[in-house]
Amino acid sequence: PRFLDTLYATTSEMFVERAILAEEIKQKNPQILTALLEHLAELENIQGNNIPVEYISHDDFKKMSHESKAIVRSGECSPYANVILVSGVPF
């Protein structure tokens, strides 16, 4: 599945507190970035919270992924189509 399809399915089952992206997505994949930010804005309305977006270098992003509790892979081949979603509970 594409990155966005995977994102939509994943976020329909979790409470997202914040999102972390590689800084490089701004220049290398603005279409995915725009769709991702639009989805996070919709998710804020659904969840009733604010979802801050943090940008870090791709190298730091890869290092941070080593601390993940779960990783969901998509079949996406476009550059920097990755996001770290920080999840919590809605209370």
Side-chain angles (χ1 to χ4, degrees), residues 6-39:
T6 305
L7 176 70
Y8 302 151
T10 303
T11 56
S12 72
E13 300 293 329
M14 65 185 291
F15 187 83
V16 178
E17 291 183 343
R18 68 185 174 113
I20 303 165
L21 301 165
E23 181 75 35
E24 292 85 346
I25 195 173
K26 294 176 182 177
Q27 297 297 318
K28 302 292 185 179
N29 205 340
Q31 300 87 353
I32 292 284
L33 175 59
T34 298
L36 172 66
L37 294 177
E38 288 173 358
H39 179 66

Side-chain angles (χ1 to χ4, degrees), residues 4 12 33 40 48 59 61 64-65 69 74 79-80 85 89 91:
L4 291 172
S12 72
L33 175 59
L40 292 176
D59 287 337
F61 185 94
M64 187 175 260
S65 72
K69 301 292 184 208
S74 72
Y80 303 100
L85 300 171
V89 292
F91 57 82

Side-chain angles (χ1 to χ4, degrees), residues 14 64-72 84-88:
M14 65 185 291
M64 187 175 260
S65 72
H66 293 281
E67 300 172 20
S68 298
K69 301 292 184 208
I71 295 178
V72 178
I84 294 174
L85 300 171
V86 178
S87 180

Side-chain angles (χ1 to χ4, degrees), residues 34-87:
T34 298
L36 172 66
L37 294 177
E38 288 173 358
H39 179 66
L40 292 176
E42 291 172 11
L43 196 58
E44 286 178 329
N45 289 328
I46 292 167
Q47 295 183 167
N49 68 326
N50 180 44
I51 303 173
V53 177
E54 179 182 348
Y55 296 91
I56 60 177
S57 73
H58 187 63
D59 287 337
D60 288 342
F61 185 94
K62 289 188 289 187
K63 290 175 189 169
M64 187 175 260
S65 72
H66 293 281
E67 300 172 20
S68 298
K69 301 292 184 208
I71 295 178
V72 178
R73 296 199 58 177
S74 72
E76 186 72 42
C77 294
S78 63
Y80 303 100
N82 305 294
V83 61
I84 294 174
L85 300 171
V86 178
S87 180

